[in-house]
Amino acid sequence: MNNISRRSMLAVGAAALGAAGLGLAGCSSDSGSDDKGTDLSKNRADAMDKFGVGTQFKATKPIAFTTLLNDNPGYPEKGSWLFWSELAKRTNVTLKPTVVPLSDYEKKRSVIIGSGSAPLLIPKTYPGQEAPFVASGVVLPVSDYVDLMPNFKDKVAKWNLQGDVDALRQDDGKFYVLPGLHQDVWLDYSLAIRTDILDQLGLQIPKTWDDLHNVLKAMKAAYPKSYPMSDRWSVPTPGGPFLQILGQAFSAGNGGGWGYANASFDPSAGKFICTGAMPQYKQMLEFAHSLVKEGLLDPESFTQTDDQANAKFTSGKSFVISTNAQELVNTYRPGLAKAVPNAKVVKIPVPTGPAGDVKQGLRTENGLMIMKKARDSADFVAMMQFIDWLFYSDDGQIFAKWGVEGVTYTRDSAGNFHLTNDVDYVGLNPTATKKLNADFGFSNGNFAYGGSTQLLESTFSAEEKDFQKVMTARKTLAVPPPYPFNADEQEQSALWDAPLKDYVTQQTLKFILGDRDLGEWDKYLSELKGKNMDQYIDLVNKAYQRFKDNQGKSSKS
């Protein structure tokens, strides 16, 4: 499952990145150089002489590139996928995958790269995850070669994504991961709630966290032996999406759970502060603790597996659980249909809190690293053109997501997408016997992220579109500024950042479950100081100030 919220916060948490501008011409150059003037005349084998926005890429003769592949157990890779054969037909490129299980992807990616035997293309890389490989010099500074990518540049310019892309830059001013690009901020994770229980008790769908508190109390009164809410996605990160969206509602920086990063930007102070020490973070803990203390939130929510949480919800033992669009359709509704046939469940708009009607997120998505050794290939320019077409062109994105027109989908006169009769995806065609991802390889999670809002919503149900309409209307909070660490700072950060985060996570769980009294907050703050909180935040602010100063110099030059 793709954790949309997780990828946004990875990018925010890794905002140790800074600065130079990016040329944004939307047309291609057929010169023999990249945008840094480096000679590429010996690296243009099989490349197209004229490649621009809207051009179908096709290598001048069949070539092959190696790629890592994140293998999802819900739709495991098959050599017979139409994705592979049709991709080769359209582009003259055969991708040769090294298949790695989803459960072990990040660890094995590091091992493979460290061994020197990595494939040339490393997809499913969230912004920030490239940082450990930059210092070792094994990944390509892709920002040096974006002149070879007219579709990428066109979307950055057209969607005003310059700031989002610049936030990916390392201290040397370059970025090393090609991100998925979204036209708009969008959020997927929220809460699923049993509306038949609401109707039974004469309750409305909660709009705020206080509303939810009252709804849970009414459910508890009617079903005193139950925990009305029992949550999931807490392994390995306690609180997962729940504490992330709850924390943001309290203005607690990046939030907790998946969203937690030690440094949060305080616009009023103009500097970074420690998230886990914020008064708003304490308010979030007080609210979550009240739910546990009153028997409204299952204390096992922070330690149980997804299967355990799902079983409680689909058997009717609990009534509220975290969700995204796919889990609502693929897990909760089918499960309830078997055990509680009259049950009805919906995904509600994210409840709001003291922060008001706001949302937080980025428009960059997980994307692609390229190994530096690819630069020496005779087919390097062809590779960059191919990547640009598949990941960033309208036709490439449609292909990766929807497949082959007339085989897996059709389009009506208004341009809307429809699955063909015997193909299903995310419950859009529930009677079909074939799956777009499992049987054909499209929307396979490695090459199908980013794109226009229209393309994004093309797989949304009517109710999901209604959810997005509510969320879109909310004010988007500003993206925190970058704080690019240099090599020495990265080394020092590695010693302070993880232990501090681990301690905050441990104490967060103790405060919520009541294993530690919130009256010890001041003592807890002193303990954070003992975990090098002040030194780490000083390091962040020093890097941030240097970034600001360098930006000011660049704007004057």
Side-chain angles (χ1 to χ4, degrees):
M1 185 62 58
N2 175 43
N3 295 334
I4 299 297
S5 296
R6 178 174 176 269
R7 53 99 178 157
S8 296
M9 290 302 105
L10 272 167
V12 171
L17 322 161
L22 172 69
L24 295 177
C27 59
S28 129
S29 169
D30 60 356
S31 69
S33 304
D34 58 23
D35 66 346
K36 299 300 180 183
T38 305
D39 182 19
L40 292 170
S41 59
K42 296 181 180 180
N43 306 94
R44 299 191 62 88
D46 310 313
M48 297 180 68
D49 290 334
K50 298 289 185 179
F51 177 68
V53 175
T55 303
Q56 169 63 56
F57 169 77
K58 191 164 188 177
T60 57
K61 69 178 183 181
I63 52 177
F65 300 130
T66 55
T67 183
L68 208 61
L69 190 92
N70 186 322
D71 199 36
N72 192 305
Y75 35 93
E77 189 271 338
K78 299 175 183 176
S80 60
W81 273 353
L82 180 61
F83 174 85
W84 300 124
S85 57
E86 184 67 21
L87 183 66
K89 177 181 175 182
R90 295 189 185 197
T91 66
N92 248 351
V93 172
T94 297
L95 286 179
K96 296 184 175 181
T98 296
V99 179
V100 176
L102 178 151
S103 60
D104 211 18
Y105 188 74
E106 293 180 19
K107 180 180 179 180
K108 287 198 173 180
R109 177 181 58 198
S110 296
V111 171
I112 290 172
I113 292 175
S115 72
S117 61
L120 295 180
L121 309 181
I122 313 291
K124 201 71 174 183
T125 299
Y126 290 87
Q129 292 181 338
E130 80 284 8
F133 309 114
V134 171
S136 61
V138 296
V139 293
L140 187 76
V142 289
S143 55
D144 285 351
Y145 302 98
V146 294
D147 263 2
L148 302 173
M149 305 180 69
N151 291 289
F152 174 84
K153 294 170 67 176
D154 177 63
K155 283 184 167 53
V156 170
K158 185 166 57 179
W159 294 343
N160 194 27
L161 284 161
Q162 183 62 63
D164 300 71
V165 171
D166 280 344
L168 303 174
R169 295 181 184 273
Q170 301 289 331
D171 190 54
D172 60 5
K174 301 179 181 183
F175 58 86
Y176 291 77
V177 62
L178 286 167
L181 301 175
H182 285 283
Q183 183 177 2
D184 297 302
V185 170
W186 71 284
L187 302 176
D188 190 11
Y189 287 82
S190 185
L191 301 176
I193 192 165
R194 286 272 301 278
T195 54
D196 58 305
I197 302 296
L198 295 181
D199 292 342
Q200 173 192 327
L201 301 178
L203 302 171
Q204 300 296 313
I205 289 177
K207 295 183 179 180
T208 68
W209 287 101
D210 285 341
D211 290 343
L212 178 70
H213 193 177
N214 292 329
V215 163
L216 295 175
K217 285 194 289 186
M219 289 177 168
K220 182 71 173 182
Y223 298 91
K225 295 183 179 181
S226 74
Y227 286 112
M229 181 173 178
S230 187
D231 213 21
R232 61 176 297 191
W233 284 314
S234 285
V235 180
T237 307
F242 169 64
L243 291 182
Q244 177 171 297
I245 60 177
L246 178 63
Q248 291 174 9
F250 280 87
S251 299
N254 307 313
W258 284 341
Y260 186 83
N262 283 319
S264 286
F265 190 69
D266 182 352
S268 61
K271 63 181 182 179
F272 285 87
I273 56 178
C274 181
T275 308
M278 295 173 68
Q280 298 94 324
Y281 195 84
K282 180 184 179 183
Q283 292 170 1
M284 175 197 77
L285 298 181
E286 289 171 337
F287 181 86
H289 172 62
S290 71
L291 298 185
V292 173
K293 183 180 180 180
E294 296 171 29
L296 309 179
L297 175 62
D298 185 355
E300 294 181 355
S301 295
F302 300 93
T303 54
Q304 67 189 350
T305 66
D306 286 0
D307 286 345
Q308 291 171 321
N310 294 345
K312 291 175 182 179
F313 186 77
T314 56
S315 66
K317 292 181 179 179
S318 65
F319 314 121
V320 180
I321 190 171
S322 289
T323 191
N324 59 29
Q326 290 197 40
E327 288 298 285
L328 179 72
V329 173
N330 294 339
T331 301
Y332 304 150
R333 284 180 177 160
L336 284 167
K338 294 178 181 178
V340 191
N342 295 324
K344 296 180 181 179
V345 58
V346 301
K347 183 174 87 167
I348 65 173
V350 178
T352 58
D357 275 355
V358 297
K359 64 179 183 291
Q360 185 173 7
L362 297 179
R363 293 186 292 162
T364 49
E365 173 62 273
N366 79 74
L368 180 77
M369 283 191 300
I370 303 172
M371 300 309 295
K372 191 174 183 179
K373 58 188 176 183
R375 173 61 180 80
D376 298 326
S377 168
D379 290 314
F380 176 68
V381 173
M383 173 186 287
M384 298 303 291
Q385 291 177 346
F386 166 75
I387 290 168
D388 188 54
W389 178 83
L390 180 59
F391 281 85
Y392 300 107
S393 76
D394 292 343
D395 287 345
Q397 290 175 339
I398 291 171
F399 168 76
K401 188 179 186 75
W402 278 97
V404 180
E405 188 167 9
V407 178
T408 57
Y409 76 94
T410 60
R411 298 187 76 172
D412 60 29
S413 58
N416 298 312
F417 293 84
H418 304 278
L419 291 164
T420 51
N421 290 337
D422 203 32
V423 179
D424 182 37
Y425 181 64
V426 295
L428 294 175
N429 197 2
T431 62
T433 61
K434 298 176 183 178
K435 301 290 186 182
L436 183 66
N437 46 15
D439 294 300
F440 296 95
F442 301 105
S443 289
N444 64 45
N446 288 270
F447 314 109
Y449 286 108
S452 68
T453 300
Q454 180 185 20
L455 181 63
L456 171 70
E457 295 187 350
S458 65
T459 55
F460 288 177
S461 64
E463 66 175 322
E464 179 63 17
K465 290 179 181 178
D466 288 341
F467 170 87
Q468 293 297 336
K469 185 176 181 180
V470 174
M471 298 304 298
T472 298
R474 296 182 182 179
K475 179 183 177 182
T476 301
L477 297 177
V479 176
Y483 47 95
F485 287 146
N486 60 34
D488 290 340
E489 290 165 340
Q490 287 176 358
E491 185 175 348
Q492 187 61 65
S493 171
L495 298 176
W496 290 336
D497 189 25
L500 179 61
K501 181 178 180 179
D502 288 345
Y503 192 74
V504 171
T505 299
Q506 294 166 9
Q507 300 309 306
T508 292
L509 193 55
K510 288 184 177 182
F511 283 131
I512 291 174
L513 296 180
D515 296 335
R516 184 172 189 181
D517 195 294
L518 277 156
E520 295 188 9
W521 184 256
D522 288 343
K523 182 180 179 183
Y524 158 74
L525 294 181
S526 296
E527 292 163 358
L528 294 186
K529 290 178 181 291
K531 297 290 181 180
N532 298 300
M533 174 184 69
D534 291 342
Q535 294 93 322
Y536 176 74
I537 295 300
D538 286 346
L539 192 74
V540 168
N541 280 313
K542 176 184 176 182
Y544 163 58
Q545 188 61 49
R546 183 175 64 242
F547 164 77
K548 277 183 63 179
D549 293 343
N550 289 340
Q551 282 288 85
K553 293 175 183 177
S554 297
S555 65
K556 294 176 182 178
S557 61

